[in-house]
Amino acid sequence: MKSAARLPSATANDVRLLCCGAEYFPALIAAIQAAVAQIQLETYIFADDVTGQRVAQALIDAANRGVSVRVVYDGFGSSTWIGGIDRQLRANGVQVAIYRPERGWQLLRRSRLRRMHRKITVIDGRIAFIGGINVIDDLNMPEPRFPRFDFAVSLRGPLVDSIEAATDKLWRRLHHFRLSDELDAALPDDTPTIAAPFANSRSAWFAVRDNVSHRRDIEQEYLIAIGNAKTEIMLANAYFVPGRRFRRSLIDAAKRGVTIRLLLQGRQEYWLQHFVTRSLYGTLLAAGVEIHDYERSFLHAKVAVVDSRWATVGSSNIDPFSLLLAREANVFVDDMAFASELKERLEEAIEADSRPVLSAHWERRSRWNRTLTWVAYGLARGMLGLMGYGRH
């Protein structure tokens, strides 16, 4: 399978895995507190809760000491969460832009679904954070007994240049234009400057998804890795509704003897997505794919490991929203130590916090459950067809 188009890869990167908010937010806030020149933060959700206030205060403190601070949040994703944080940031010298603000007269426009779903922070052009974690407390959700399960990475090295170029490009468009479909342009393919090696030197690359020239880049990276898999694929995804090519690629890998383990959302968060995902279980189980429902809390991860070497952490789910509509960003890493660490975290979650979905049990589920599954599948297919994505 040929290589996908991507922002350039770079060696000599220090890439560190961060699991859940407990590891992510202390690292993010410490980096913000150490900033001397510029902070650029993009998030789908910025919540006015304890964690959001801590991040906001760190950004305000940075602005007060003369750091240029830019924040971009999504108009739909943050609409019910942002509270007074927008006003608070603006009143204290932070530059704020909203990606596609919610407006009543635009609610029926197809372009309204083209959201900014990525989560990126770049500080002083020297460190970047990227992954699936929004600026929201891990316990800010229904039944908050345990934190939501998610990942991000901190990254130093030459690849930071490409990530910063992506945030710069989006900021310029939001700052100078009212974003429209015609202005939803591709991100630049700037070649990073190679820096001196780090102790944790790793080969990594950065891929985005937009609605012009990077439409399928993240999906293509997955398909290449799955197509080249020799022994094992581990994939954890919060909202898993892959298209035909992706499903066929997984099934073909299983036929080659590759062990495939999927860690998926066990709790019902959104009923349509929940049951649409389950409409695929029978086919995948019949092909020999292992499925494990994460039940300890809400799964929000978008990560994968292939052959204990290739790994990805990012914002992109494997569903139509992420693969066909939203702006997304993932980091890909070719490194055995990093991949092994992520694999170990996923194995712990499978072993301790998940329930295996057994084919025999799945076939005996209730008629009501079967009906909900196929109703959801039909609704989802119909909605995709109305939006012009019915062949995905």
Side-chain angles (χ1 to χ4, degrees), residues 89-366:
L89 292 172
R90 293 177 192 267
N92 287 277
V94 175
Q95 301 174 74
V96 179
I98 306 173
Y99 188 94
R100 296 189 185 279
E102 288 286 275
R103 297 185 178 93
W105 58 272
Q106 291 180 326
L107 294 184
L108 298 179
R109 292 185 63 185
R110 174 180 166 185
S111 61
R112 176 177 177 258
L113 297 175
R114 294 181 177 176
R115 309 312 317 181
M116 199 282 298
H117 191 241
R118 65 198 200 188
K119 295 90 179 172
I120 301 174
T121 302
V122 183
I123 298 171
D124 292 344
R126 61 179 177 80
I127 182 169
F129 294 85
I130 183 168
I133 302 177
N134 288 293
V135 182
I136 186 171
D137 195 277
D138 271 353
L139 295 177
N140 192 342
M141 57 184 173
E143 302 176 31
R145 292 174 53 207
F146 300 101
R148 65 170 59 81
F149 188 51
D150 206 347
F151 291 94
V153 298
S154 66
L155 191 149
R156 297 174 186 264
L159 197 59
V160 173
D161 288 356
S162 290
I163 300 171
E164 184 175 43
T167 61
D168 281 343
K169 182 71 174 287
L170 181 59
W171 178 263
R172 287 198 302 271
R173 293 205 169 269
L174 289 172
H175 190 64
H176 294 295
F177 302 103
R178 186 185 299 273
L179 192 63
S180 68
D181 294 348
E182 294 74 22
L183 292 172
D184 201 6
L187 297 173
D189 290 335
D190 296 332
T191 302
T193 302
I194 302 300
F198 287 87
N200 245 349
S201 197
R202 284 155 178 167
S203 176
W205 60 102
F206 173 58
V208 297
R209 204 220 75 86
D210 62 28
N211 289 298
V212 181
S213 61
H214 295 283
R215 289 175 182 267
R216 295 192 179 271
D217 288 11
I218 292 176
E219 182 180 21
Q220 193 69 3
E221 291 289 350
Y222 269 102
L223 292 175
I224 292 168
I226 293 168
N228 292 330
K230 300 292 191 297
T231 59
E232 183 182 47
I233 297 166
M234 293 186 71
L235 191 153
N237 213 259
Y239 309 119
F240 185 76
V241 188
R244 292 173 186 168
R245 289 179 65 204
F246 203 107
R247 295 198 303 271
R248 174 49 56 190
S249 184
L250 287 174
I251 291 169
D252 288 346
K255 288 179 179 177
R256 296 195 307 270
V258 177
T259 298
I260 302 175
R261 291 189 282 174
L262 304 181
L263 179 62
L264 304 179
Q265 184 79 270
R267 290 172 175 258
Q268 182 179 326
E269 187 174 10
Y270 305 108
W271 83 268
L272 182 62
Q273 289 168 313
H274 181 81
F275 285 102
V276 171
T277 295
R278 274 154 172 69
S279 72
L280 308 176
Y281 276 21
T283 300
L284 294 170
L285 290 168
V289 175
E290 294 181 27
I291 300 175
H292 302 265
D293 279 344
Y294 185 81
E295 295 187 333
R296 185 173 191 259
S297 181
F298 284 100
L299 175 72
H300 197 253
K302 307 97 167 55
V303 301
V305 179
V306 176
D307 291 345
S308 298
R309 184 172 188 97
W310 179 99
T312 185
V313 177
S315 66
S316 182
N317 288 296
I318 308 300
D319 73 348
F321 174 73
S322 283
L323 296 181
L324 298 174
L325 294 166
R327 280 186 179 266
E328 305 284 2
N330 276 46
V331 165
F332 299 85
V333 182
D334 180 9
D335 180 83
M336 291 186 69
F338 181 87
S340 295
E341 182 184 0
L342 177 55
K343 177 181 174 181
E344 184 177 342
R345 296 289 188 113
L346 296 178
E347 286 178 333
E348 289 172 358
I350 287 172
E351 200 63 34
D353 303 323
S354 306
R355 178 181 59 85
V357 180
L358 303 177
S359 187
H361 292 170
W362 182 252
E363 291 303 320
R364 294 200 299 268
R365 69 195 190 280
S366 70

